[in-house]
Amino acid sequence: SVSRGLAALGERAVGEFGLPNAYVLGEEAGGALFAGARYGEGTMYTRNQGEHPIFWQGPSIGLDFGGDGSKVMMLVYNLASVDSVFERYPGVDGSAYMVGGLGMTVMKFGDVVLVPIRSGVGLRAGLNVGYLKFTREPTWNPF
């Protein structure tokens, strides 16, 4: 059922935005008690600009409680250059993990659209608003 769910989310993203020109495979962890933070790392694969390590982190605030860990595939659209992904992408996230779950979010900055598709485990429920900041090096500062 997890494979079926991931395939359905991927089909939905491709149906809405078309084929991506890059994607990120990685892992992330997050937690919240009204205010929260999310940290992740992975590799960005592009069609014509090679592979690049990428890190992301960001704060959130909302009615959100618990923690989760996820495998992440992010579809990247309208990526003119690798440098254009290193920005802050605002978004709204709703989560309901009771042992495991799937989720998809759409985030946009300028022309670049990111669609993170998560498959994770944990105990987390809520709705929050925040952003993800993408960097070349890891950092513990979510801002």
Side-chain angles (χ1 to χ4, degrees):
S1 69
V2 171
S3 297
R4 188 175 324 124
L6 284 173
L9 289 174
E11 285 177 0
R12 182 175 171 199
V14 169
E16 190 168 332
F17 298 106
L19 293 175
N21 57 346
Y23 64 95
V24 175
L25 296 178
E27 301 174 339
E28 69 177 24
L33 183 59
F34 295 109
R38 184 173 296 279
Y39 297 92
E41 66 178 272
T43 302
M44 182 170 62
Y45 300 90
T46 64
R47 285 189 182 170
N48 56 9
Q49 299 176 45
E51 300 176 8
H52 304 272
I54 190 167
F55 301 88
W56 60 93
Q57 56 280 326
S60 64
I61 190 164
L63 296 173
D64 194 11
F65 308 93
D68 65 279
S70 302
K71 294 283 188 183
V72 180
M73 177 179 65
M74 291 187 198
L75 304 177
V76 184
Y77 297 92
N78 306 322
L79 186 68
S81 72
V82 172
D83 292 335
S84 61
V85 78
F86 297 109
E87 299 290 345
R88 287 182 172 86
Y89 292 81
V92 175
D93 186 45
S95 299
Y97 286 93
M98 301 297 183
V99 178
L102 299 170
M104 181 177 97
T105 308
V106 177
M107 302 181 301
K108 183 176 182 185
F109 182 87
D111 291 334
V112 179
V113 176
L114 293 173
V115 181
I117 300 172
R118 297 178 176 98
S119 169
V121 297
L123 181 59
R124 188 167 181 172
L127 180 66
N128 66 56
V129 63
Y131 64 83
L132 288 181
K133 177 180 69 171
F134 290 83
T135 59
R136 295 178 191 280
E137 301 292 329
T139 179
W140 286 103
N141 181 1
F143 301 102

